[in-house]
Amino acid sequence: MKAGIVQTNPMFGEVRENTESARGLISTQHADLWVLPELFNTGYQFISKKEVEELAEPVPSGPTTQHLIQIAKTAQTHIVAGLAESAGGQVFNSAVLVGPTGFMACYRKIHLFYEENRWFSPGDRPFQVYELPYKSNKGDTLTCKIGIMICFDWIFPESARTLTLLGADILCHPSNLVLPHCPQAMLTRCLENRVYAITTNRVGAESRNTETLHFIGQSQIVTPKGTILFRAPEDQESIHMVDIDPKTARDKTINSYNDLIKNRAPKFYR
Ligand code: ACM
């Protein structure tokens, strides 16, 4: 399966341009699955509730999800991308999954970071996994399972573990990272759950109030053994795809005595 990161540098509020810029990058190469950053279409640093409400869109009927569906159909690919979702008078920091057949799913970020707590409601639905078809190197159509978590969800090991217990082979992880810890921490998330992780961050900076946020790039693809297959630069837009075998995430054995899932002892975890 060919899967990759699309590391962009969104301009705040320029939804159409930011989506077009992602489209331009995706049109340069083919993959079965691309992961874009958190809030890839709007930018990150909102300064009022009114602003986030104006930039949020319904899913799937809003223009960004519809635009992403067109991109996925044209490129015959799947896309996971973060955006601000308006629903029932609330705004969620969400990520949509779209593919050649159209809209597939929407995850609402459960663990909000810092000022996101002023703008967004926390996700109100449980973690879920989704089945994705892909072509093996021999040309057979196979299926993998992906889970979606967004940025700060990483610091709660329960996010990756829950998705693993639901059967995820790949964690798709749109991000807008400003602190340095996540890229290395995701190696442990992969190792402790034996899953792939595709963390896509953005680059650039935003200074929309007295604070400047610098986004750290370093989007990466990590294997179930915790090996970094690719890590993008800290400061440049980047698109990169690797060949992975999702089936390798299904073997949770460490040796003939130990299995990451079977050896859990949930009765002692209370
Ligand atoms: C983050 O959750 N955007 C750090």
Side-chain angles (χ1 to χ4, degrees):
M1 175 184 197
K2 294 180 170 39
I5 59 97
V6 186
Q7 175 170 289
T8 58
N9 184 4
M11 289 173 289
F12 190 88
E14 304 295 338
V15 169
R16 182 84 200 169
E17 286 81 349
N18 295 334
T19 314
E20 270 303 305
S21 143
R23 189 192 59 74
L25 288 168
I26 288 172
S27 69
T28 61
Q29 47 192 289
H30 178 264
D32 302 288
L33 170 65
W34 291 114
V35 180
L36 272 59
E38 177 183 14
L39 296 167
F40 92 98
N41 62 336
T42 56
Y44 183 75
Q45 200 181 26
F46 297 99
I47 54 173
S48 72
K49 186 85 181 159
K50 181 167 174 288
E51 187 176 68
V52 71
E53 281 166 359
E54 281 170 7
L55 285 166
E57 302 178 16
V59 170
S61 61
T64 299
T65 308
Q66 290 302 313
H67 197 156
L68 288 168
I69 290 170
Q70 287 315 315
I71 298 170
K73 284 187 174 167
T74 306
Q76 288 294 295
T77 190
H78 295 87
I79 301 171
V80 174
L83 47 73
E85 178 198 3
S86 56
Q90 299 187 85
V91 182
F92 297 96
N93 182 343
S94 297
V96 293
L97 165 64
V98 301
T101 57
F103 173 74
M104 296 173 70
C106 176
Y107 163 69
R108 295 173 171 166
K109 185 177 187 178
I110 291 173
H111 306 100
L112 298 174
F113 178 69
Y114 190 43
E115 289 193 326
E116 290 170 32
N117 287 285
R118 296 176 65 189
W119 321 128
F120 297 107
S121 300
D124 56 354
R125 301 189 292 223
F127 286 105
Q128 243 187 290
V129 296
Y130 314 101
E131 291 199 348
L132 228 68
Y134 69 97
K135 285 253 185 292
S136 74
N137 287 339
K138 290 186 195 139
D140 308 322
T141 300
L142 304 175
T143 304
C144 72
K145 286 191 182 159
I146 68 159
I148 303 176
M149 51 190 253
I150 299 179
C151 206
F152 192 54
D153 281 332
W154 75 266
I155 212 164
F156 302 89
E158 292 88 346
S159 311
R161 175 50 58 94
T162 303
L163 290 168
T164 301
L165 293 175
L166 289 168
D169 303 314
I170 305 168
L171 307 180
C172 296
H173 185 205
S175 296
N176 270 191
L177 297 164
V178 289
L179 299 176
H181 317 292
C182 174
Q184 282 307 108
M186 284 308 290
L187 275 54
T188 304
R189 292 289 168 277
C190 290
L191 199 58
E192 69 197 1
N193 290 295
R194 229 6 122 66
V195 289
Y196 286 95
I198 305 175
T199 297
T200 303
N201 192 19
R202 58 163 291 179
V203 293
E206 285 182 358
S207 291
R208 304 200 60 256
N209 53 28
T210 51
E211 192 172 23
T212 301
L213 296 179
H214 294 276
F215 300 95
I216 65 164
Q218 302 174 68
S219 299
Q220 64 183 18
I221 304 158
V222 180
T223 71
K225 295 267 169 88
T227 303
I228 302 169
L229 291 178
F230 174 75
R231 186 176 274 174
E234 290 172 27
D235 53 1
Q236 282 164 40
E237 289 197 322
S238 171
I239 180 163
H240 193 90
M241 172 264 291
V242 296
D243 226 321
I244 60 174
D245 181 359
K247 290 195 298 304
T248 60
R250 295 172 202 164
D251 176 8
K252 306 294 189 191
T253 56
I254 298 170
N255 55 45
S256 53
Y257 293 89
N258 295 112
D259 180 291
L260 279 172
I261 303 303
K262 290 187 189 138
N263 291 164
R264 295 175 69 244
K267 68 178 174 192
F268 295 121
Y269 297 162
R270 296 174 197 284

